[in-house]
Amino acid sequence: MKLRLEYFSILLVTLVGACSSPKIDTYVPNSVTIIFDHYNPPKFKTPGIGSFHIPMPKVSFVDSAGVYHTYTPDTLRDTLVIGCPNDFIEFALSYRDHEYIYYPLLQGDTVCVTTDSLDYPLLKSKHHPERNRIYNMNYQLRQGRTHLNLEAGTCLGSSFLTIAQNIKMIREQNWTEFLPDYCPLDSLQSMYAAYRKAYTDTIQDFLQEGLITQAMYERYRFRLRLKDHETHRMLEDTSYYRKIEPDLTEEQTYYPTFRELIEYYAVAIGQHITVVTTSHGGYADFRTMFDEIASKKFGPRAKRCLLGDCLREICKDYGVDDMNAYLDKYLQITGDSTLHDELVRQYRLDIDAGQLVLKDLQGTETTFADIKELFKGKVLYVDFWASWCGPCRAEMEPAIRLREKYAGKDVVFVYLSYNDEEEKWRKACEEEGLSSLPTCYFIQNSKNSEMLRQIELSSIPRYLVFDKKGNLVERNAPRPSSNEIVQRLNKYLK
């Protein structure tokens, strides 16, 4: 189960990038200034088999207009100034792409962000050193209450939970050699219980000492509820999503914690929804999830966020008919034409479905019909692949040998990236030695191309052969690693 949090905008934020010595020595009213000093935590890996995680934005916050922002600081030195009309803002930093730490940064403060030896964020106030105790509260609470330097709550809400639940089998099968970083479930739960008590006692002390306001205290309490949801949503029954729903309020949409909360909600609600198989694997049916959320009584901002995330997943994993149906539903329910139009442009639903529209590595747009015309008189071997497709990429090395075999002959090798992300496609092209080929293309309208419907492209890798007259003569051609492909290509060369 996954949920992509992709709400980017550039409003009411001043970014001053890569400054070697930012001169910020004066009090800046109605804002908070954050200075990043060599803040570039690496991705998380365990000492054993490692751990995979969906990349998280390094920095996130919600501005005074209620717009969610993500930001990646320069790795050496960077400064971010955020409007702060109230007493404080909630500011989020990710730790090694695996967990978020939320900070209440007080109005008018200037805060420097560095890391410790384990790359955990450390904050230091420039004007009010007494606030460092507040800013680094979580850093102190973690001491002695983490597993592999991740909070026990994080482990209970991730793949570590599966390992913890199967400790007995792991030991019986003698897999501890491959899983040296396991931790029993009761130990994780005990660590979280100790963390939770220390957290509660600490914020109560802060309030009594007058270090935080009642509003800040309530934010701390909400963050603890967020941690509770993280630790329980995968351990309890499939109705747990109902316990999250009361927290999905309009007020919470003005804090970055809301984005994490709706991810937990999506995972929880997805547990009782039928799983379907798509081109990217098996996931909860986001169409069913969309319809169920649409029927619930959430506030307009909360519902727009929840349905927007479902809509992005539908557009990523389903065909053009489903896309158009749910784009229309989303627009009718929310009135949000911005996301609707963005997805129409992203998946090129506004262009001629009769053409397969392509873009090369230089950004030049063309069509497959143009390619066939350009190479008329030659045999075309077409490879549908994607950066995320393991079997596709396993064929890239045999493909190099195949291209070498037909160098100087009338065979053209065409590579078409299907249902992919452009940045990942470009990176994969470099890694697979395709960057120097003039016939490597990114399909821009994978969802609505009539050609892809006609060839019934539902899975990849997939290979086609067109003869010298441009006729499709092999709808399911052999792979580059197959012994048959040379025989087939030679047949059409003759």
Side-chain angles (χ1 to χ4, degrees), residues 67-247:
V67 179
Y68 179 74
H69 296 266
T70 61
Y71 182 59
T72 301
D74 186 88
T75 56
L76 296 178
R77 189 86 163 172
D78 210 346
T79 302
L80 178 64
V81 181
I82 307 172
C84 179
N86 302 314
D87 292 341
F88 69 97
I89 61 166
E90 187 174 76
F91 184 71
L93 297 174
S94 68
Y95 175 61
R96 292 194 171 187
D97 259 359
H98 216 84
E99 62 187 16
Y100 267 127
I101 312 103
Y102 296 96
Y103 302 88
L105 301 184
L106 283 89
Q107 186 188 74
D109 210 352
T110 297
V111 180
C112 183
V113 181
T114 58
T115 57
D116 69 357
S117 60
L118 294 174
D119 302 301
Y120 195 83
L122 291 173
L123 275 61
K124 183 177 180 181
S125 172
K126 189 176 181 67
H127 303 301
H128 304 279
E130 70 277 5
R131 294 176 180 174
N132 294 340
R133 181 182 166 198
I134 302 172
Y135 293 158
N136 295 303
M137 180 192 85
N138 219 55
Y139 181 77
Q140 297 299 327
L141 293 179
R142 294 167 62 88
Q143 309 308 313
R145 301 186 181 95
T146 61
H147 171 52
L148 298 169
N149 210 44
L150 293 175
E151 289 185 14
T154 300
C155 296
L156 288 168
S158 70
S159 57
F160 289 106
L161 175 62
T162 304
I163 297 174
Q165 290 173 319
N166 292 277
I167 289 295
K168 183 178 179 181
M169 183 189 70
I170 291 170
R171 288 171 176 164
E172 289 175 350
Q173 298 294 330
N174 198 27
W175 289 345
T176 53
E177 178 182 351
F178 306 103
L179 293 165
D181 43 10
Y182 64 88
C183 185
L185 179 59
D186 57 353
S187 296
L188 289 176
Q189 291 175 322
S190 177
M191 279 192 289
Y192 178 68
Y195 174 90
R196 196 182 191 286
K197 183 180 185 307
Y199 184 106
T200 303
D201 292 344
T202 301
I203 62 173
Q204 188 66 42
D205 289 343
F206 284 172
L207 183 63
Q208 291 176 353
E209 295 173 31
L211 295 176
I212 60 175
T213 64
Q214 185 67 36
M216 292 172 66
Y217 177 73
E218 294 302 327
R219 284 311 303 164
Y220 275 116
R221 291 185 60 191
F222 177 81
R223 288 182 213 137
L224 188 58
R225 290 206 303 278
L226 185 70
K227 292 177 184 292
D228 287 343
H229 290 320
E230 182 177 25
T231 60
H232 294 141
R233 65 194 166 93
M234 294 174 68
L235 286 168
E236 298 196 20
D237 59 38
T238 57
S239 66
Y240 185 77
Y241 69 94
R242 295 193 182 99
K243 297 180 181 179
I244 300 178
E245 287 180 348
D247 283 326

Side-chain angles (χ1 to χ4, degrees), residues 16 18 35 96 102 104 113 130 142 178 197 205 218 267 291 295 299 351 353 371 381 432 436 448 455 458 461 470:
V16 184
I35 303 172
R96 292 194 171 187
Y102 296 96
V113 181
E130 70 277 5
R142 294 167 62 88
F178 306 103
K197 183 180 185 307
D205 289 343
E218 294 302 327
V267 173
D291 292 336
S295 68
I351 62 178
I371 292 172
Y381 183 65
E432 303 296 353
S436 60
N448 72 335
I455 66 171
S458 59

Side-chain angles (χ1 to χ4, degrees), residues 248-250 253 296-306:
L248 295 170
T249 64
E250 292 294 275
T253 64
K296 294 180 179 294
K297 294 182 179 180
F298 293 117
R301 279 178 58 90
K303 181 168 283 191
R304 187 165 68 245
C305 291
L306 289 161

Side-chain angles (χ1 to χ4, degrees), residues 315-483:
C315 288
K316 183 175 179 62
D317 292 325
Y318 296 93
V320 67
D321 292 338
D322 284 319
M323 291 174 68
N324 283 327
Y326 281 89
L327 282 164
D328 290 344
K329 283 185 181 181
Y330 177 81
L331 187 60
Q332 182 179 3
I333 294 170
T334 68
D336 177 20
S337 61
T338 302
L339 179 59
H340 174 279
D341 295 347
E342 173 194 323
L343 292 172
V344 168
R345 289 191 300 270
Q346 179 181 340
Y347 291 99
R348 301 302 298 269
L349 301 181
D350 54 343
I351 62 178
D352 182 10
Q355 298 287 348
L356 184 61
V357 183
L358 312 171
K359 179 164 62 174
D360 65 19
L361 287 162
Q362 287 69 46
T364 303
E365 192 171 286
T366 186
T367 67
F368 188 72
D370 293 335
I371 292 172
K372 286 174 62 180
E373 184 63 29
L374 178 64
F375 294 109
K376 200 168 185 179
K378 298 180 184 292
V379 175
L380 296 187
Y381 183 65
V382 181
D383 180 341
F384 287 96
W385 71 293
S387 63
W388 48 264
C389 174
C392 301
R393 299 189 66 166
E395 291 292 326
M396 288 301 175
E397 189 171 343
I400 293 174
R401 295 192 293 269
L402 190 64
R403 293 198 302 270
E404 291 173 348
K405 184 175 184 66
Y406 286 95
K409 298 181 181 179
D410 287 340
V411 179
V412 177
F413 295 88
V414 180
Y415 296 86
L416 304 181
S417 180
Y418 170 74
N419 203 14
D420 208 346
E421 296 178 32
E422 188 169 343
E423 288 186 12
K424 293 180 180 179
W425 164 68
R426 290 181 179 277
K427 182 179 179 182
C429 286
E430 292 180 7
E431 294 170 347
E432 303 296 353
L434 299 177
S435 297
S436 60
L437 296 181
T439 52
C440 184
Y441 301 96
F442 181 85
I443 300 176
Q444 298 200 76
N445 63 332
S446 295
K447 298 292 186 179
N448 72 335
S449 169
E450 190 59 35
M451 173 189 165
L452 300 187
R453 285 197 183 198
Q454 290 174 357
I455 66 171
E456 299 177 335
L457 183 65
S458 59
S459 63
I460 53 176
R462 175 82 176 274
Y463 305 90
L464 310 179
V465 175
F466 291 82
D467 66 15
K468 293 184 177 183
K469 295 181 180 180
N471 299 316
L472 177 58
V473 289
E474 296 277 354
R475 292 175 61 91
N476 290 283
R479 299 184 176 196
S481 60
S482 169
N483 294 328

Side-chain angles (χ1 to χ4, degrees), residues 1-6 43 51-57 94-100 263 267 283 313 421 424:
M1 181 66 187
K2 61 191 188 322
L3 193 65
R4 284 168 280 274
L5 307 181
E6 301 171 299
K43 293 182 179 180
S51 180
F52 300 97
H53 198 68
I54 298 173
M56 300 166 64
S94 68
Y95 175 61
R96 292 194 171 187
D97 259 359
H98 216 84
E99 62 187 16
Y100 267 127
E263 182 174 358
V267 173
Y283 304 117
E313 296 294 330
E421 296 178 32
K424 293 180 180 179

